[in-house]
Amino acid sequence: TYSPPPHPPLLLPPPYPPPIPFALSPLVMTDSAEIHTFSTPWPTSCLDWCRSGGNPFRLGVSSFVRDYTNQFAVYEHNANTGAFSTVGVADHPYPVSRLRFSPDPTSPLIASTGDYLRLWSCPLSSPSGINLTAKLNNNKSSEFCAPLTSFDWNEAAPELIGVASVDTTCTIWDINAGVAKTQLIAHDREVYDIAFARGSDVFASVGADGSVRMFDLRALEHSTIIYEQPDVPLVRIVWNKLDPNYLAAVPYNASKAIILDVRVPSSPVTELTGHAGPLNGAVWAPHSSAHIATAGEDSQVLIWDLSNLPKPIDEAALAYDATSPVNSLTWSASQTDWVGICFDDKVQLLRV
């Protein structure tokens, strides 16, 4: 069983092997009041929960296959049959490094990164599959592109997407106009992740140089380093949208998440150390400023209560053991008592 590494996979070098044909087998699902489980045709990598209120159990999940040809699919739960069905499947060059639905609950858009930023349409009311609507590339002078490691969708201004790249840059795209608003050298080395704060202007990034850097679109000539540990790359950053003083960063190959307070730079306010293996992701609760979920190579999903900060957090409030290392997790914004995870070729929805 293969589990993706805790940092976004880089693109495969040429020569490319021939594409592997994918066949969607019938979804195999186990069901209970607290857990929904279904299988996909391939090892899973990225997972996201749709913001639409139309179907509260609509999710996107991508493959991780060591080939040029990968896929992602959208599934949704059928309340009448109790089963999950396939809404649509799209071929995707290279493994997807991040997959996100638009934060606008009325929008049919899905975004993905890998070699380029791609926008897809998957209609909410009358599903007609997944269709590519745009491929955005800010390097017009070369046929080659630097791998894109991650992106974040601005919730306050859904026309803005921030993209991180191994070429040390962050690019802010206006997807309505199809143009890059700005591209800046954000780090000294590869940038692994980017996250917007609440509001439309402030974002943070992390990378191989071990720093967390904060930027403001209104004053890009300056940035603030709010945390730095040069010998330890940081591979994930997530911003607490309900209390934007707090961020969580995930170091490479580390079994902990670092909680940072932007008002007290340089030193973590606490570290979440309950995992027995490297973390692959973290997500803040969409309805509570004091809760965050983490998941990783130890097959555990832990939910932490941070309401007593700045006191140390010794243990998680809730724990769930999957059967394999967890590659990705997502917390439903419309059904806030549900968390989604993916591992091996499975997706599980957990009632918390």
Side-chain angles (χ1 to χ4, degrees), residues 49 51 100 155 198 238-244 246-248 259 272 281-294 301-307 317-318 329-340 350 352:
W49 211 301
R51 299 297 186 92
R100 297 290 293 272
E155 294 188 6
R198 185 173 65 193
V238 284
W239 211 312
N240 188 334
K241 299 298 174 65
L242 298 181
D243 187 348
Y246 292 104
L247 305 93
I259 305 299
L272 308 179
V283 59
W284 291 95
H287 64 297
S288 168
S289 63
H291 290 86
I292 187 172
T294 56
V301 181
L302 302 181
I303 295 180
W304 306 82
D305 184 350
L306 308 185
S307 56
L318 293 172
L329 77 165
T330 179
W331 203 318
S332 173
S334 60
Q335 302 289 315
T336 55
D337 51 350
W338 288 90
V339 170
L350 313 173
V352 297

Side-chain angles (χ1 to χ4, degrees), residues 31-47:
D31 207 357
S32 73
E34 307 298 326
I35 299 175
H36 297 298
T37 305
F38 64 88
S39 298
T40 67
W42 15 252
T44 59
S45 176
C46 299
L47 180 69

Side-chain angles (χ1 to χ4, degrees), residues 5 10 14 25 72 154 172 187 201 209 227 249 298 308 316:
L10 303 186
S25 57
F72 78 90
N154 192 308
I172 308 299
H187 288 259
D201 297 309
D209 60 7
Y227 176 78
D298 61 352
N308 290 325

Side-chain angles (χ1 to χ4, degrees), residues 20-27 39-42 71 75 86 89 91:
I20 293 179
F22 288 101
L24 278 179
S25 57
L27 295 180
S39 298
T40 67
W42 15 252
Q71 287 188 326
Y75 302 104
T86 305
V89 183
D91 289 337

